[in-house]
Amino acid sequence: MKTPTDRQGQFLAYIYQYSQIHGRAPAEKDMQDFFQITAPSVHSMVLMLEKNHFISRIPGMARSIQLLVPSDQLPQLKSVHKIKPSAPSPLLGLSEEKLLMLVKLRMLHEQEKAALRRVRAKTARKYPARPKDGE
């Protein structure tokens, strides 16, 4: 089996961490948001990981990515959020471990927001708004 590059290793580590936290594989949009790169760049990386047999997936099926690399062979996930050194920030003094924990909390928050949007949409379908008098 080939050895993943550093960048590929970070994507594999992200897929593993995300799956552990959420119980499902990340969407390409999740990777785009985390790595702060474009959708085509993420898709290209997913195709490369699949070509090199680091992951398997079902094209066209959301969240179907499965790791083929044992978790003990994955690198530690690094924080990729860029902080301008000239900009004062409360995050500058935090360790990488604490920054990673903040990123995980942000991911959970985003997941909760998405779940709330789904519930609101379902409720709106089940109980459509009634027209007001005179409409």
Side-chain angles (χ1 to χ4, degrees):
M1 178 186 272
K2 280 183 156 183
T3 302
T5 64
D6 289 341
R7 185 73 168 156
Q8 291 170 344
Q10 286 301 295
F11 272 81
L12 294 170
Y14 176 80
I15 293 166
Y16 175 75
Q17 289 289 334
Y18 186 99
S19 299
Q20 291 296 304
I21 292 169
H22 300 287
R24 63 182 181 185
E28 288 188 12
K29 175 71 170 130
D30 297 319
M31 291 183 266
Q32 179 185 348
D33 293 343
F34 182 81
F35 289 103
Q36 299 177 348
I37 59 177
T38 65
S41 295
V42 170
H43 188 67
S44 175
M45 177 60 78
V46 168
L47 294 177
M48 182 60 66
L49 294 172
E50 183 179 30
K51 178 182 173 188
N52 290 328
H53 305 289
F54 298 135
I55 64 168
S56 66
R57 69 186 185 99
I58 301 170
M61 183 176 184
R63 301 182 185 275
S64 64
I65 294 174
Q66 291 186 336
L67 281 176
L68 301 178
V69 178
S71 61
D72 62 344
Q73 294 180 14
L74 297 175
Q76 183 174 359
L77 183 61
K78 298 175 186 171
S79 176
V80 295
H81 296 283
K82 299 173 181 94
I83 301 171
K84 295 179 184 176
S86 60
S89 170
L91 300 178
L92 286 175
L94 296 179
S95 68
E96 188 169 318
E97 180 181 332
K98 288 183 180 179
L99 284 173
L100 188 56
M101 187 171 25
L102 285 173
V103 170
K104 289 177 183 178
L105 285 171
R106 171 73 187 256
M107 288 170 34
L108 286 172
H109 176 71
E110 293 300 322
Q111 181 185 13
E112 289 175 357
K113 284 183 5 184
L116 182 58
R117 283 192 299 271
R118 286 191 299 273
V119 167
R120 285 181 179 158
K122 185 176 181 180
T123 303
R125 285 191 305 272
K126 191 171 183 178
Y127 304 103
R130 296 184 200 141
K132 295 180 182 177
D133 291 337
E135 289 186 12

